[in-house]
C-alpha cells in the first residue's frame, strides 16, 4: 500500500540553526499538510498546501517557517532559526482530494530535537 | 472555539473484551471525522473516516459511529487483542478551516 515517507526520522540541531524536514507524499495525492506534536500534547496543524501555494496556516506557522514543493515528489518544511520550543515530532500528511472528502494519510514523522 | 475531547485518557482491558472509545467535538458543522491509531514513537495510521452525512463506518473489528447533532463519535473495538494496544486519536475536519483538529487520544492497553 502506498505510504507517506519522511526523512530523517530523527534530527538533532543546535538552537538558531536552520533545519529542513523532507516528505514524499503518496504519488497521486494533491493536498499536503504538516502537523506537529510536542511531547505529551495534542497533534497540532501547521500548514496545508495545494496547487503550489499555502491553503491555510495556523498561528504557529510564523515567518520562521516555510514550505516548498521543489519538484514533483518532495514536500519540505523549513525552520529558519530554530528555538528550543520547536522540539517536537513533525508529521507530513497527504490526501487525494481535499480533506473534506478523503482521509489524510500520515508519515511516521521526524523527531526534531533542538539543543 | 473548535475543540475535540477524548475520554478516557487511558484504558486497560483484558484480552477478548469489547470496548468503546469516546470522542466529543464542540461544533456540529463538520465535514468528517477520522479515527487514527498511533503506536509509540510512530506515525498516525488512519483507521476509519466518517463523512458528516454518515452514521457509521466499519472495518473488520472496528466500528465508528457519528452523532453530529450531539457532537459525539465512538470507536467500538470488538474482541480486543494485545496487538490493539496503542493510542487512538480522533480528529475532526470542521467546515471552517482546512485542517484536522485532534483530540488528546486514548491510550489503550489490552492485557493477555
Amino acid at each position: 500500500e502506498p505510504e507517506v515517507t519522511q526523512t530523517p526520522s530523527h534530527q538533532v540541531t543546535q538552537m538558531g540553526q536552520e533545519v529542513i524536514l523532507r516528505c514524499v507524499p503518496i504519488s497521486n495525492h494533491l493536498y499536503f499538510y504538516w502537523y506537529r506534536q510536542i511531547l505529551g500534547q495534542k497533534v497540532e496543524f501547521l500548514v496545508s498546501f495545494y496547487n503550489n501555494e499555502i491553503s491555510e496556516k495556523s498561528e504557529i506557522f510564523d515567518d520562521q517557517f516555510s514550505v516548498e514543493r521543489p519538484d514533483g515528489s518532495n514536500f519540505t518544511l523549513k525552520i529558519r532559526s530554530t528555538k528550543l520550543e520547536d522540539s517536537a515530532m513533525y508529521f507530513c500528511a497527504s490526501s487525494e482530494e481535499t480533506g473534506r472528502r478523503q482521509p489524510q494519510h500520515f508519515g511516521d514523522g521526524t523527531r526534531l530535537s533542538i539543543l | 472555539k473548535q475543540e475535540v475531547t477524548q475520554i478516557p485518557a487511558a484504558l486497560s482491558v483484558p484480552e477478548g473484551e469489547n470496548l468503546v472509545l469516546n470522542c466529543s467535538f464542540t461544533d456540529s458543522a463538520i465535514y468528517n471525522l477520522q479515527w487514527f491509531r498511533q503506536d509509540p514513537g510512530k506515525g498516525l495510521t488512519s483507521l476509519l473516516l466518517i463523512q458528516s452525512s454518515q452514521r457509521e463506518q466499519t472495518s473488520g473489528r472496528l466500528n465508528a459511529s457519528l452523532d453530529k447533532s450531539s457532537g459525539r463519535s465512538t470507536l467500538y473495538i470488538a474482541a480486543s487483542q494485545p496487538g490493539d494496544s496503542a493510542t487512538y486519536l480522533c480528529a475532526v475536519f470542521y467546515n471552517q478551516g482546512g485542517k484536522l483538529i485532534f483530540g488528546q487520544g486514548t491510550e489503550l492497553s489490552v492485557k493477555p
Side-chain angles (χ1 to χ4, degrees):
Chain A
E1 184 174 328
E3 55 183 32
V4 176
T5 58
Q6 291 186 241
T7 56
S9 58
H10 191 191
Q11 174 82 45
V12 181
T13 302
Q14 292 288 330
M15 186 173 59
Q17 296 294 307
E18 176 182 286
V19 65
I20 297 176
L21 309 183
R22 304 181 189 279
C23 170
V24 179
I26 296 173
S27 62
N28 64 330
H29 286 190
L30 302 176
Y31 292 79
F32 314 112
Y33 312 84
W34 283 101
Y35 292 82
R36 79 173 186 189
Q37 185 177 32
I38 295 172
L39 188 63
Q41 297 187 22
K42 293 184 179 184
V43 176
E44 303 173 287
F45 169 80
L46 292 177
V47 65
S48 60
F49 192 85
Y50 170 70
N51 200 26
N52 282 319
E53 60 183 30
I54 291 174
S55 304
E56 180 156 351
K57 59 183 181 180
S58 71
E59 294 175 351
I60 302 167
F61 195 88
D62 60 21
D63 291 342
Q64 70 163 337
F65 291 91
S66 62
V67 289
E68 192 178 32
R69 189 152 161 83
D71 52 43
S73 60
N74 290 284
F75 180 51
T76 62
L77 174 69
K78 181 192 289 187
I79 309 176
R80 283 193 192 81
S81 179
T82 50
K83 305 171 189 171
L84 294 176
E85 55 264 36
D86 294 328
S87 295
M89 183 75 91
Y90 288 79
F91 294 108
C92 173
S94 68
S95 61
E96 187 172 346
E97 295 179 38
T98 171
R100 297 173 184 177
R101 289 191 289 274
Q102 292 292 330
Q104 295 181 27
H105 296 270
F106 284 69
D108 278 346
T110 293
R111 181 171 299 283
L112 178 63
S113 299
I114 307 300
L115 304 180
Chain B
K1 186 179 178 183
Q2 297 169 339
E3 290 189 352
V4 178
T5 304
Q6 291 185 248
I7 296 173
L11 181 63
S12 181
V13 300
E15 182 177 3
E17 268 202 12
N18 303 324
L19 60 100
V20 174
L21 307 180
N22 296 293
C23 172
S24 61
F25 44 95
T26 53
D27 184 350
S28 63
I30 69 170
Y31 277 109
N32 61 57
L33 184 146
Q34 201 167 348
W35 282 94
F36 293 89
R37 169 185 172 136
Q38 185 176 28
D39 293 285
K42 294 289 189 179
L44 310 179
T45 302
S46 179
L47 298 174
L48 290 163
L49 173 77
I50 311 179
Q51 298 291 353
S52 62
S53 58
Q54 298 175 317
R55 296 284 291 183
E56 64 179 79
Q57 280 284 338
T58 298
S59 176
R61 294 183 294 108
L62 305 180
N63 176 277
S65 69
L66 175 64
D67 184 344
K68 211 173 64 163
S69 60
S70 68
R72 294 183 182 181
S73 176
T74 62
L75 180 67
Y76 174 83
I77 302 177
S80 58
Q81 303 170 357
D84 294 330
S85 298
T87 296
Y88 290 81
L89 300 174
C90 164
V92 173
F93 201 102
Y94 283 100
N95 290 359
Q96 291 295 323
K99 57 187 179 285
L100 286 172
I101 305 292
F102 282 81
Q104 70 270 42
T106 294
E107 186 177 356
L108 173 65
S109 175
V110 181
K111 305 293 187 185

